[in-house]
Amino acid sequence: YGKLNVREVTKVDLIGTWEEIVRTSGLEGATGETVTAVRSLESGGGAGPGFVVTTSSRELRTRRLVLAIGRRGVPRKLGVPGEDLPTVAYSLREPESFQGDRIVVVGGGDSAVEAALALAEQPGNQVRMSYRGEAFRRIKPKNHQRVEEAVSAGGLDILWSTNLVRIEADSITYRNGGPPETLPNDYTFIFA
């Protein structure tokens, strides 16, 4: 079978690629709707004429259906006060729109690391990662290398063994085994 030519792609780049495919192909998408039911229009034992898809706002008929729910369909919440503020997000689409900001990224997987790195590359940002572990255990080797380089260059700070306990409009409060500590903060991204 030979060697596979596998290229690592960041989630930010992947989203850009999919947006370009949608734009150039004419593919119609629907956001802000939740699929609540799928019913086959199959007649008898053969392949039927398709499906009826019921969403939170409408009903659609389609010949083909692809279920691609991903892992981020319903983001995992931290359960801390302030998590519903408009300065808190569970995904990052346009890192370039954040410049000169104090930002905390919560999480320790590839999504959190890639978001923190993309934000740290923007001019004037002060980016910190809050991670409950003592070291990253599940990230790609290339992301590990990029994190080490960003920390060494001073573009990223890691708050190891921490848990957020409160988010406010201009600060976050976390614990690190001792008394709570508060840091000034403009935006919080949660990738738990």
Side-chain angles (χ1 to χ4, degrees):
Y1 289 32
K3 292 185 179 180
L4 292 175
N5 184 8
V6 178
R7 177 174 72 99
E8 286 188 21
V9 177
T10 67
K11 286 172 182 58
V12 171
D13 292 339
L14 184 59
I15 288 170
T17 300
W18 281 112
E19 288 172 343
E20 178 67 13
I21 290 169
V22 168
R23 188 182 65 72
T24 59
S25 70
L27 181 69
E28 291 183 37
T31 59
E33 295 181 51
T34 302
V35 174
T36 58
V38 175
R39 182 172 47 91
S40 173
L41 295 173
E42 186 174 324
S43 56
F51 302 90
V52 174
V53 179
T54 306
T55 76
S56 54
S57 60
R58 61 188 168 151
E59 188 173 277
L60 305 160
R61 289 180 180 259
T62 182
R63 291 182 66 182
R64 294 182 177 86
L65 176 67
V66 176
L67 294 177
I69 59 172
R71 294 173 54 187
R72 289 242 167 259
V74 179
R76 201 161 123 203
K77 305 267 185 162
L78 299 177
V80 300
E83 203 168 7
D84 58 346
L85 289 169
T87 56
V88 177
Y90 297 87
S91 65
L92 175 65
R93 292 185 190 238
E94 298 175 352
E96 62 277 0
S97 63
F98 297 90
Q99 296 184 7
D101 295 310
R102 300 166 299 186
I103 302 168
V104 169
V105 176
V106 180
D110 284 311
S111 295
V113 166
E114 290 169 6
L117 290 167
L119 289 162
E121 291 171 357
Q122 305 310 311
N125 282 347
Q126 178 185 6
V127 181
R128 295 181 176 102
M129 288 191 72
S130 171
Y131 181 51
R132 65 182 177 205
E134 296 175 3
F136 295 121
R137 293 181 179 87
R138 306 179 323 259
I139 64 174
K140 298 173 193 167
K142 183 151 180 116
N143 280 342
H144 203 286
Q145 176 187 347
R146 291 179 61 213
V147 164
E148 288 177 1
E149 291 168 0
V151 168
S152 294
L156 180 64
D157 186 27
I158 313 253
L159 304 170
W160 298 111
S161 305
T162 57
N163 289 295
L164 260 59
V165 294
R166 185 173 52 253
I167 302 168
E168 296 190 28
D170 62 353
S171 67
I172 55 106
T173 302
Y174 67 93
R175 283 192 189 266
N176 181 350
E181 295 185 43
T182 300
L183 293 172
N185 191 61
D186 300 310
Y187 296 99
T188 305
F189 290 89
I190 300 172
F191 295 90

